[in-house]
Structures are given as structure tokens and as C-alpha cells.
Amino acid sequence: MDMEKKQFKAESQRLLDLMVNSIYTHKEIFLRELISNASDAEDKLAYLGMTDANVDINRSDLKITITVDKDARLLTVSDNGVGMTREELETNLGTIAHSGSGMFKQEVGQEKEAESEIDVIGQFGVGFYSAFMVSDKVTVTSRCYGSDEAWQWESDGLDGYTIVPCSKETPGTDVVMHIKPNADEEDYDQFLEDYSLQNLVKKYSDYIRYPIIMLVDDYREKEKPADAGEDYKPEWETVQEWKTINSMVPLWQRPRAEVKEEEYNSFYKDKFSDWQDPLAVIHSSTEGAVTFKAMLFVPSQAPYDFYTREYQKGLQLYSSGVLIMDKCADLLPDCYRFVRGVVDSPDFSLNISREILQHDRQLKVIAKSLEKKIHSELLKMQKDDREKYEKFWKAFGTQLKYGVVSEYGANKDKLQDLLLFWSSKENANTTLAAYKDRMPEDQPCYYYACGETVEKVARLPQVERILEKGYEILYCTEDVDDFVMKALDEIDGKKVKSVADDDALPQTDEEKKEAEEKAEAGKSVLEAVKEVLGDRVKEVRASSILRSSACCLTAAGPVSLEMEKYMSKVEGGEHAKAERVLELNPDSAPFAALKRALDSGDQETVSKYSKMLYAQALLMADLPLDNPAEFAEMVSSLMV
């Protein structure tokens, strides 16, 4: 018997050390790798059964078996696939990073028909060695189909390996791992527990096309004795039985026409731990530069942590039905981070770390395609089922707005047709496209106004002049809205303007001249108010945007009042202060009262009126008063 111990090649030994200690950071991955190798062996035999008349097999007999011997600390993964000769054991297991699956695909060619039938998973040939992360000795017994000889490969992963002849009744391969004893922070016992192994199979290998069977404990009621009396209580016993652990056929591999709505809903709720049905399902199959299948879900509600840093976006990424990444963030843009689902592509290799997925080109191609599909589905929902879209918008509309603002507005053109805003004319949410369709020919801009609620926005003094013209205003009630509107900037050649902007309504030469004359006539009043308020405002000006109201607060420069309020929430109010401008209506009674007090030399009244008007402007702008007690005292003094 040949007991010569052979050494791994030096570079292979270094790779083994690196892989076991660095590439796979989750030790549980080993089971996924070994099951995938077993599936490859079954695929190869199935292919031979189709192409070689001398190979007589029943594909329904192919299976993968997992057995546990707790006392001996042995875990075995077996298949009844094609098996390996001594030379193949030497080549595939003695030289790390040599892939038998890769060679097999080259040998049978890349014909589409053959590839779709065999679809072997492994390509890099390093997955088998992940077994050494959890075991201190691995024994592989294999018999090649059509041969009477069997061979046994054995190694501790450190000091080379041996290959000796052995006996094995049937073709196939058994991988027997001696599980390591528990270490200080490592629980290796879990890999000898039925429930842990079942969970790992369900998590990573649920959609392997062959049955994965285990001998598991089951509980059944004992047969009731014939002489049992009325007070007999049922007794239960533990029995062991072989059980198929995996589902085998992924839902996304079936044609959409063959999948019922309740099947989609059940899959989504079970897979993604949601108690509500999804609002929409995107089920697609794509062939081209990258071949992949996708099944995506739009949830009906936002998770409790969706708008927190703890929330992790991403889609489950599969390679031929084998999970290789639970949340692949690169497949979703941030604006669609709410989407859940799976992507399955044979163009990704299984034998790579989930943390160092190095298929950047394929990921980008898939991500771009998915982004278009998601956008198309949301737009279809918006047009065909507005009630459902309104529900979606309530849950995730804010996320789309963040998408418009992010990356300096780079995605605004992609997202603007999905946005909804409250319409002053419709008294309901409207799209920008619908707003445009209703726009009078003489309307110069898209108009918006910001505030805490629709009711408060409608009462802002700045909106009055726009509504007088019969123009529609978009009422914006979210913190991010002002940023969104400034990012949109222009739609179809027309500017997006705040109702507070001086140039929101173009003025005629006569109107400009009249405004200048009023400002000049009231100059002394404006200067007196500015002197009272000091640095609290940058400027006090005669307003051209007010109609019946006496005052309002606007901002000079790039930072608006809404931006300031938002920054005060996220940054504690220490940054991005708006330059405040107090606008006074020169045609109002309070302005006339100020002028009378100033002309009579009553500085105390000028000071009191100035502060009251500023306080009123703050309140209308939903900004805190500088001194609430002082304001209350001034109001009380007017009642004396």
C-alpha cells in the first residue's frame, strides 16, 4: 500500500494558510463550499448520462447526504456523483486553486445547451480547503463512476497529504471532517448539531438542485395501548428519519406566468421577515453581457430602522442557486435602498469571499439594469394604481427625495418623474408632469413654498401674490424639500422658484419704479427698524412680495430658512445659518404706525413695534423666538 506522504507545493501551502485564515471570514461557509462541490459532482454525472450511452443513471437518484457522529466528532458530506480517480484526487486536491469544475467546463465546451444543463458552480478550486477552518483532519474517499477502484485522500492541512487505495461500494465521494475542539472564542460544536447544520443548508444551499438529506430527530405520538383507559395521556417518542433539508427549486427560476401572487407574497414574508405583502414584485430574466435572474420586492412599509445608520441595504446574491452574499449593497443605488430581493447569476464564482467580491464589472452591469427595472415598475405603479403608489410614497418618498439631492443632484433627471408634492390647486399630491400639464401659458416658473404642514404653508404671506395670479403652488412639508427644489433648479426650460424669491413674479418697469419709490419713501423707517434689531437680521427692506400681510422673513444668500432649520436638527444648529431679511409691507397699517412713531420721536414705540414685527415674522416662518418672555410682555402692554 502506497503510504508515501506528499507535500503541498510551497505556493499552494501559502495559499492554503491565507485562505483558511483570511479569505473566508465566516467559518460556516465551509458547508456551502462542500455542498457545492458535491452538487458539481452530481452535475457531471448527470451530463455524462445525457451524452454517453454507456452511462446509465437515474437522475432522480442523485442526492447529497450529510451525516454526523457526535461522539467521534465527525461530519461527513457525501455525494453519489461522478467521483474521482487517483489522478484527479492528486490534481484537484493536491494542487490548491486547481479547479476540476473549471477543467470540466473547458472539456465539454461552452455550448449554451450543455452549459445550461451542467452549470457547475466551482471555478477557482479553493472552496474545498475551507473545511480546514473547522476541522483538524479531512479524509476524502472517492470512487470514479465506471471504475472498481477507490482511493482515499487525507490531510491535516499542515503537513502534506496521503493517497491510498481503499474500498467503497458505490461511485461518488465522501468528505469526512474531524471537527476541531472548541477554542476560547470559537464554538466548533455547533457544526455537529443537527439544527445548526439544517440552518446553514437553508441559508446557503437551499436551492441546490439535488436533495440534501440528513438523519434528523423527529417527534411522534406513540400508539395508544388497546387497554388504555379514559384518563390516558398521549406519550411522545423521539425517532430518527431521513429528511430533505433544501427546497431545491428557487422561485425565481420559474417563469413569472407560472408563479401565483400568494407564492410571491409567502416567499417575501418568509425570506425577509415582513408581516405585510409587498406592494410590487419585479421578476425578470436577463441574458447578454451578464446573465442573471432577479426577483425584487417593493415593501409596503419602511422597516423601523430604515432611516438610521444601522439599516443595511442590499440584495441577496446567488451563484447558480448558492448564496454568496446576504446583502450585496453594490446592486442597489441608495435611492432604491428599500428594495429587497434576490439576484442569481452563473457569472459569479462561488469560491470567493463575500467580503472581497471581485466582479466589479458584472455587478455594475446588473446594478444598472436593476435600477432601470425598479424605476419602470414604480412609474407603472404611479400611473396604473395611484392608491398603491400613494402608500409607497408615504413609506419611501423621502428616500427618493434624498436620491435627488445626493451626489450634487446627479440623479435628479432619473427621479423627478417619481416625485409627489401637495398641490394648492388639486388639494392632493401631484406629479411634476401633471403640474406642467395644468400650467397656464403665461406662468413663468414652477412654484413651491415650504413649511411645517400644508395648512401652515397655505397661510404663509408669501403665497398670496402667486395664488392671486391663478398659479399653482407645490406645498413642501419635509425638511429635505427645499434642497430637492434647489437641486431640480429647472424643469423643461422653466425655473423652479420659491414663492419667497423676489423674482418669482417678473415685474414690469412700472412696478419696479413704484417699488423703488416706496422703498425710498420708507427708507427712514427701514433704517430705524434695522438699528433696533441689529445683527439679528442682515437687512430690513420694503417688500415686493407681500400683499395683505405686514411682514415676513426671507433669507439672503444660498442658505434658506428651511435649510437652516434642517441643519439645526442634524448638526445642532452650529452650522449653516441663513442671513435673515425682514421684509415690511410699506402699504400696511403697522408700517404707517411705525412711521408715525418715528416722526414723533417716540423711540420706545419704534423699538417695541420693530421687535414685535420681527417676532411675528419668526412665528410665521416656524422659527423660535429669540425672547418669548419679552414678546409676551410687549403683547400684554398693548392691552393696557
Side-chain angles (χ1 to χ4, degrees):
M1 183 179 293
D2 182 5
M3 288 295 294
E4 177 188 357
K5 193 152 206 175
K6 301 186 178 183
Q7 299 298 316
F8 293 117
K9 293 182 179 180
E11 62 273 16
S12 292
Q13 185 63 60
R14 287 195 298 271
L15 179 56
L16 175 59
D17 293 338
L18 173 65
M19 188 205 64
V20 170
N21 295 303
S22 300
I23 293 182
Y24 293 102
T25 58
H26 296 278
K27 289 181 168 57
E28 63 188 33
I29 288 297
F30 83 95
L31 190 60
R32 179 197 75 179
E33 302 293 329
L34 297 183
I35 290 174
S36 297
N37 289 345
S39 175
D40 287 350
E42 310 283 14
D43 277 334
K44 294 171 188 177
L45 185 57
Y47 177 77
L48 293 177
M50 293 186 298
T51 58
D52 189 339
N54 296 319
V55 177
D56 182 19
I57 63 165
N58 186 343
R59 185 161 183 160
S60 63
D61 292 335
L62 299 176
K63 62 182 180 294
I64 299 167
T65 306
I66 299 175
T67 54
V68 177
D69 184 339
K70 287 187 180 180
D71 294 335
R73 298 189 70 80
L74 297 179
L75 171 63
T76 303
V77 177
S78 303
D79 67 72
N80 57 347
V82 70
M84 289 180 279
T85 63
R86 174 186 174 129
E87 291 73 21
E88 288 171 330
L89 280 170
E90 177 89 50
T91 302
N92 296 337
L93 303 188
T95 305
I96 301 174
H98 181 280
S99 171
S101 296
M103 291 292 292
F104 182 72
K105 292 183 77 171
Q106 291 180 20
E107 289 170 5
V108 300
Q110 295 297 326
E111 297 88 351
K112 285 290 181 182
E113 181 179 354
E115 194 170 298
S116 65
E117 289 291 342
I118 57 170
D119 192 23
V120 290
I121 301 167
Q123 291 181 19
F124 292 158
V126 297
F128 164 77
Y129 293 91
S130 62
F132 288 106
M133 292 190 298
V134 300
S135 55
D136 48 30
K137 185 173 72 173
V138 178
T139 303
V140 179
T141 303
S142 191
R143 174 181 161 186
C144 185
Y145 185 88
S147 172
D148 295 330
E149 295 182 325
W151 298 90
Q152 187 177 86
W153 180 98
E154 189 170 272
S155 175
D156 59 6
L158 300 173
D159 190 25
Y161 60 91
T162 60
I163 298 179
V164 298
C166 65
S167 60
K168 190 175 188 306
E169 292 184 3
T170 58
T173 300
D174 302 330
V175 179
V176 184
M177 292 158 281
H178 184 269
I179 302 301
K180 296 177 181 178
N182 288 344
D184 291 340
E185 297 182 359
E186 298 290 352
D187 176 19
Y188 293 104
D189 285 352
Q190 63 178 305
F191 303 122
L192 294 168
E193 297 292 342
D194 289 349
Y195 68 89
S196 294
L197 295 172
Q198 290 180 67
N199 287 339
L200 291 180
V201 170
K202 293 294 289 183
K203 179 177 182 180
Y204 292 109
S205 307
D206 197 33
Y207 304 116
I208 289 290
R209 72 182 72 189
Y210 304 101
I212 302 173
I213 64 172
M214 285 182 62
L215 191 62
V216 299
D217 290 338
D218 195 11
Y219 302 93
R220 65 177 61 169
E221 186 177 343
K222 289 184 179 179
E223 185 177 350
K224 184 178 179 179
D227 58 349
E230 294 182 358
D231 58 347
Y232 170 77
K233 295 182 179 179
E235 296 183 5
W236 295 78
E237 62 181 344
T238 301
V239 295
Q240 285 196 315
E241 62 179 9
W242 289 101
K243 179 181 178 182
T244 299
I245 306 302
N246 58 323
S247 304
M248 289 183 280
V249 180
L251 198 63
W252 60 83
Q253 293 287 3
R254 292 162 53 186
R256 175 156 193 160
E258 297 179 9
V259 183
K260 297 178 180 178
E261 182 180 357
E262 51 265 33
E263 290 182 287
Y264 283 127
N265 294 342
S266 177
F267 177 91
Y268 167 74
K269 289 188 284 190
D270 179 62
K271 198 76 171 176
F272 301 106
S273 303
D274 197 347
W275 59 276
Q276 291 191 358
D277 294 339
L279 286 177
V281 180
I282 303 169
H283 189 169
S284 67
S285 178
T286 303
E287 295 185 1
V290 178
T291 297
F292 69 93
K293 297 181 186 295
M295 193 164 68
L296 310 181
F297 300 90
V298 177
S300 58
Q301 61 179 357
Y304 72 94
D305 61 343
F306 182 71
Y307 289 107
T308 69
R309 293 181 179 179
E310 285 69 36
Y311 181 82
Q312 292 181 318
K313 71 169 183 175
L315 303 175
Q316 291 188 340
L317 182 60
Y318 286 79
S319 175
S320 300
V322 179
L323 180 67
I324 61 175
M325 187 177 290
D326 190 46
K327 288 185 178 180
C328 184
D330 292 335
L331 288 173
L332 284 176
D334 275 349
C335 58
Y336 298 141
R337 66 200 294 262
F338 51 83
V339 174
R340 314 295 295 273
V342 300
V343 173
D344 192 342
S345 173
D347 293 340
F348 292 109
S349 168
L350 175 68
N351 295 327
I352 47 181
S353 166
R354 297 187 298 169
E355 287 77 14
I356 55 172
L357 189 61
Q358 294 178 348
H359 287 253
D360 188 58
R361 184 188 67 81
Q362 290 97 322
L363 281 177
K364 287 182 177 178
V365 171
I366 295 176
K368 187 174 181 180
S369 175
L370 294 180
E371 184 176 4
K372 291 180 180 178
K373 293 180 189 297
I374 295 168
H375 180 274
S376 177
E377 180 64 30
L378 292 176
L379 201 59
K380 180 175 180 293
M381 186 195 302
Q382 182 196 93
K383 294 178 179 178
D384 298 344
D385 194 336
R386 188 55 177 265
E387 183 179 350
K388 184 181 288 188
Y389 191 79
E390 292 275 357
K391 186 175 182 180
F392 158 78
W393 183 257
K394 184 177 180 180
F396 301 109
T398 303
Q399 185 59 41
L400 295 187
K401 291 178 180 179
Y402 285 142
V404 171
V405 174
S406 66
E407 299 180 44
Y408 304 98
N411 298 310
K412 65 177 182 179
D413 293 336
K414 300 178 184 177
L415 297 174
Q416 68 181 35
D417 54 355
L418 298 177
L419 300 178
L420 294 183
F421 297 99
W422 193 266
S423 163
S424 64
K425 184 166 289 188
E426 297 294 304
N427 201 30
N429 278 327
T430 184
T431 64
L432 293 172
Y435 180 104
K436 178 188 176 184
D437 290 342
R438 292 189 295 269
M439 190 183 294
E441 290 185 8
D442 65 336
Q443 183 171 329
C445 311
Y446 288 78
Y447 292 111
Y448 74 95
C450 295
E452 187 176 336
T453 65
V454 167
E455 292 75 17
K456 287 185 177 181
V457 176
R459 291 195 293 266
L460 287 174
Q462 295 95 317
V463 309
E464 190 175 3
R465 62 174 180 150
I466 308 298
L467 295 179
E468 280 180 356
K469 289 281 189 180
Y471 298 156
E472 185 175 354
I473 302 174
L474 300 175
Y475 290 168
C476 301
T477 57
E478 287 196 89
D479 293 334
V480 71
D481 283 342
D482 199 42
F483 294 90
V484 172
M485 292 305 192
K486 284 181 168 50
L488 290 174
D489 185 50
E490 188 176 288
I491 302 172
D492 300 325
K494 288 195 175 185
K495 299 293 285 185
V496 179
K497 289 281 188 182
S498 167
V499 296
D501 291 347
D502 275 343
D503 60 349
L505 280 179
Q507 290 181 309
T508 64
D509 291 339
E510 283 188 13
E511 288 172 333
K512 288 180 182 178
K513 183 179 179 180
E514 183 181 359
E516 290 171 357
E517 290 174 350
K518 288 181 179 180
E520 183 62 30
K523 184 177 181 181
S524 60
V525 175
L526 301 175
E527 290 176 346
V529 175
K530 174 65 173 79
E531 185 176 352
V532 171
L533 298 180
D535 292 339
R536 282 179 279 188
V537 295
K538 180 184 180 183
E539 181 186 354
V540 179
R541 70 169 66 139
S543 180
S544 60
I545 66 174
L546 294 173
R547 289 297 181 265
S548 60
S549 297
C551 62
C552 71
L553 203 63
T554 58
V559 180
S560 68
L561 296 175
E562 297 306 314
M563 289 179 179
E564 177 184 322
K565 284 187 277 188
Y566 175 75
M567 294 299 181
S568 69
K569 293 178 181 179
V570 299
E571 298 181 3
E574 299 299 324
H575 307 285
K577 294 284 189 180
E579 295 180 322
R580 299 179 181 185
V581 176
L582 178 62
E583 300 205 13
L584 301 178
N585 185 350
D587 296 326
S588 66
F591 193 91
L594 260 171
K595 191 172 190 314
R596 286 195 300 271
L598 182 64
D599 291 344
S600 65
D602 186 354
Q603 291 299 325
E604 182 179 351
T605 300
V606 170
S607 177
K608 181 183 295 186
Y609 287 177
S610 299
K611 291 176 181 178
M612 287 191 66
L613 287 170
Y614 178 60
Q616 290 178 38
L618 286 172
L619 290 172
M620 286 187 289
D622 280 325
L623 290 168
L625 295 178
D626 296 336
N627 191 337
E630 180 185 36
F631 177 70
E633 185 179 339
M634 286 188 295
V635 173
S636 297
S637 69
L638 294 176
M639 301 172 67
V640 175

